[in-house]
Amino acid sequence: MTQSATQFIQRMLQTHPQSGQSPFEMSALVECISACFECAQVCTSCADACLGETEHLSHLAHCIRLNSDCADICDTTGRILIRQTQPELSVIRAQVQSCLAACKACGDECKQHAEKMNMKHCELCAESCRRCEQACQALLNGMQA
């Protein structure tokens, strides 16, 4: 029986010697980390798929840029959140807010391409961006001062 990535992340965080001192609610933290890593991969794949849309490539330049930016920001956010030793909440808050903004911008752009050009890869990317955006917001809402 294999574990999902989310379950494995949770188990890993629970083994951290300072897990009881975390300023985050565990389920919100795990969900946000998981959503960030998923979104990074989906955005990378969507950017690549957009590059393959040769007949629409000129219309997709902004989408490709947003996908690439969002992928990098989500990956970095996930990596920052998984570190539990002596977190600097002001830095984490700013990073999660940045991730939320990147996911919103990318999700909005991909949604337009999904609706106007019936691009299924953009539809899936918009869904992943929304999930990550919501997970970031939930984590921000629950952050202690």
Side-chain angles (χ1 to χ4, degrees):
M1 173 184 272
T2 61
Q3 293 183 332
S4 74
T6 302
Q7 291 171 323
F8 206 83
I9 290 168
Q10 182 169 358
R11 284 186 52 218
M12 187 65 195
L13 288 172
Q14 289 170 337
T15 67
H16 194 284
Q18 296 179 7
S19 66
Q21 301 168 14
S22 178
F24 309 105
E25 195 277 312
M26 182 62 77
S27 65
L29 177 62
V30 170
E31 180 61 28
C32 194
I33 293 168
S34 178
C36 284
F37 287 142
E38 172 197 282
C39 194
Q41 297 307 310
V42 170
C43 286
T44 299
S45 183
C46 188
D48 185 63
C50 286
L51 286 170
E53 299 279 1
T54 54
E55 66 276 5
H56 301 292
L57 195 53
S58 63
H59 293 92
L60 295 171
H62 187 62
C63 188
I64 294 166
R65 170 58 192 257
L66 287 172
N67 272 300
S68 297
D69 290 350
C70 192
D72 288 345
I73 291 168
C74 286
D75 185 59
T76 299
T77 303
R79 290 181 16 239
I80 288 171
L81 288 174
I82 209 157
R83 298 179 194 133
Q84 295 297 296
T85 304
Q86 298 184 356
E88 178 57 49
L89 292 183
S90 63
V91 172
I92 293 171
R93 184 176 288 108
Q95 183 64 39
V96 174
Q97 288 169 337
S98 174
C99 189
L100 191 152
C103 288
K104 175 151 182 34
C106 187
D108 289 349
E109 183 73 13
C110 281
K111 184 179 178 189
Q112 288 179 16
H113 296 298
E115 292 173 351
K116 292 179 183 174
M117 294 191 256
N118 197 32
M119 293 184 175
K120 295 297 182 190
H121 53 86
C122 282
E123 181 180 333
L124 291 172
C125 189
E127 287 177 31
S128 184
C129 286
R130 293 294 177 244
R131 179 172 118 73
C132 191
E133 183 183 351
Q134 291 167 358
C136 286
Q137 188 61 62
L139 187 67
L140 287 170
N141 290 346
M143 281 182 73
Q144 300 170 8

